[in-house]
Amino acid sequence: MPELPEVETVRQTLKQLVLNKRVKDVSIFWDNIIKRPQDPNDFRAWIQGQELQDINRKGKFLIFHFEDISMVSHLRMEGKFGVYNASLPKPKHTHVIFHFTDGTELRYDDVRKFGTMHLFEKGQEWNEKPLIQLGPDPFDPSFTTEYFYAKLQKTSRLIKSVLLDQSVVAGLGNIYVDEALYKAGLHPERIAKELTYDEASRLKEASTQTIVEAVKQGGTTIRSYLNGQGEMGMFQQQLKVYGKENTGCFGCGNPIIKLKVSGRGTHVCPRCQK
DNA sequence: ACCGCTACCTGGCAGC
DNA sequence: TGCTGCCAGGTAGCGG
């Protein structure tokens, strides 16, 4: 599911469903998802008996606040959280289950098993990886044009690669980067330091607007199945370039093309993006 | 500091 | 119906 708008949608949905529930036990079926503490048995012991008090988000990370600990989780490519009745059978791709005392459970499903979970003592999560290396969210007041332009000035990387760098701005992924670059009229292969202040400003605004609008729409749903929580996103209807190769550009009618930039599939209108 | 490559995993799909 | 290879909303770690 995972760029900022999808993670935010999951956060809001989950909050309605699991707040103030107490964890009775945790089942772990794929150890590699658990990154901290190293031993999954310790993970289980830490979280047992804890009440879930809030769910937050930074970039693409979900932060589950329990009484004494925080759980930081990244969904990577296909991770999903859902709340179910404990009597329902466990699907093939469910790898972690948080059993609550009320007979419901929070399940983590992930076909590719790329997702991660870290536990920290309350408050400590902000001082360590992975959260410590994140830049501001796109709509955070500290994500200013001055900040962004200064970052761009320092690097010769391609602009697409910089937008994907979570330490510069947190939450954009392959879909929204392509959309933001299109909105700003900038080609993904431009050298970051060669952007003018005005172009940096346009791109900063385009990035923020794209993310804000996608959050309003509940994110983008492509390829992924409905997980029963009703959080089907609608932003896919607003996509202008992502997945639109060989269709006419909304601006000029010329075909959108697909290329590889920094190893990622990249969608661009060569006429509108310079 | 950068790039490209590999790894982590599985499944869908195009092409033969 | 296979099989093969490529692709996928992500990121860390490696060597050059």
Side-chain angles (χ1 to χ4, degrees):
Chain A
M1 292 212 82
E3 296 180 48
L4 189 155
E6 294 75 52
V7 177
E8 175 60 16
T9 302
V10 171
R11 183 188 77 82
Q12 291 173 13
T13 306
L14 281 184
K15 264 191 84 160
Q16 309 294 323
L17 298 171
V18 296
L19 232 49
N20 303 317
K21 295 198 179 197
R22 191 173 294 277
V23 177
K24 187 172 61 183
D25 200 359
V26 182
S27 302
I28 300 164
F29 304 100
W30 191 262
D31 288 353
N32 286 351
I33 288 168
I34 310 302
K35 303 298 182 187
R36 187 182 194 278
Q38 283 191 349
D39 186 341
N41 290 318
D42 293 337
F43 182 96
R44 201 167 147 249
W46 283 26
I47 212 160
Q48 228 164 33
Q50 294 279 320
E51 183 183 291
L52 182 55
Q53 298 182 324
D54 201 4
I55 306 177
N56 222 308
R57 182 197 53 71
K58 168 86 177 180
K60 302 173 191 173
F61 289 88
L62 284 169
I63 309 163
F64 296 79
H65 297 279
F66 293 89
E67 291 161 275
D68 306 316
I69 55 177
S70 302
M71 180 176 79
V72 176
S73 181
H74 197 301
L75 280 43
R76 292 292 179 99
M77 297 293 267
E78 307 203 25
K80 295 167 190 68
F81 278 105
V83 182
Y84 306 86
N85 195 293
S87 61
L88 290 170
K90 180 183 96 64
K92 183 179 175 188
H93 298 300
T94 298
H95 308 305
V96 182
I97 299 179
F98 302 83
H99 309 270
F100 295 117
T101 53
D102 70 351
T104 63
E105 47 195 40
L106 175 66
R107 296 181 180 176
Y108 179 72
D109 299 280
D110 188 345
V111 169
R112 294 175 71 180
K113 304 173 176 167
F114 283 179
T116 62
M117 295 180 192
H118 292 74
L119 281 191
F120 299 95
E121 289 172 48
K122 204 179 184 70
Q124 187 61 19
E125 67 272 20
W126 299 105
N127 303 324
E128 295 188 45
K129 289 212 290 192
L131 294 187
I132 196 171
Q133 46 196 12
L134 294 182
D137 283 354
F139 39 72
D140 188 294
S142 70
F143 184 53
T144 62
T145 299
E146 286 70 25
Y147 163 86
F148 187 47
Y149 183 61
K151 287 281 189 189
L152 299 190
Q153 284 292 291
K154 281 187 203 139
T155 180
S156 303
R157 297 157 69 192
L158 306 184
I159 187 62
K160 168 153 183 171
S161 169
V162 178
L163 280 181
L164 284 171
D165 183 341
Q166 303 296 299
S167 72
V168 173
V169 55
L172 298 183
N174 208 32
I175 294 180
Y176 297 115
V177 164
D178 281 7
E179 293 297 314
L181 284 164
Y182 174 80
K183 190 189 271 269
L186 295 170
H187 196 283
E189 290 174 307
R190 288 282 301 278
I191 307 294
K193 63 161 61 157
E194 293 176 358
L195 264 64
T196 64
Y197 183 87
D198 183 58
E199 287 172 331
S201 175
R202 264 160 48 204
L203 185 52
K204 181 258 173 196
E205 289 301 325
S207 302
T208 304
Q209 285 172 20
T210 301
I211 291 293
V212 167
E213 187 55 31
V215 169
K216 278 187 200 160
Q217 301 283 318
T220 298
T221 305
I222 54 174
R223 223 175 358 259
S224 93
Y225 55 85
L226 287 168
N227 67 1
Q229 309 302 124
E231 73 227 26
M232 176 75 153
M234 297 305 289
F235 192 76
Q236 61 274 16
Q237 295 171 15
Q238 316 285 322
L239 296 176
K240 300 291 196 295
V241 286
Y242 186 85
K244 302 288 186 187
E245 57 268 36
N246 304 321
T247 71
C249 168
F250 284 81
C252 71
N254 286 47
I256 302 298
I257 60 165
K258 185 172 181 184
L259 41 133
K260 199 80 113 172
V261 178
S262 302
R264 311 295 302 276
T266 299
H267 312 77
V268 55
C269 172
R271 171 101 179 256
C272 296
Q273 295 175 253
K274 296 293 184 190

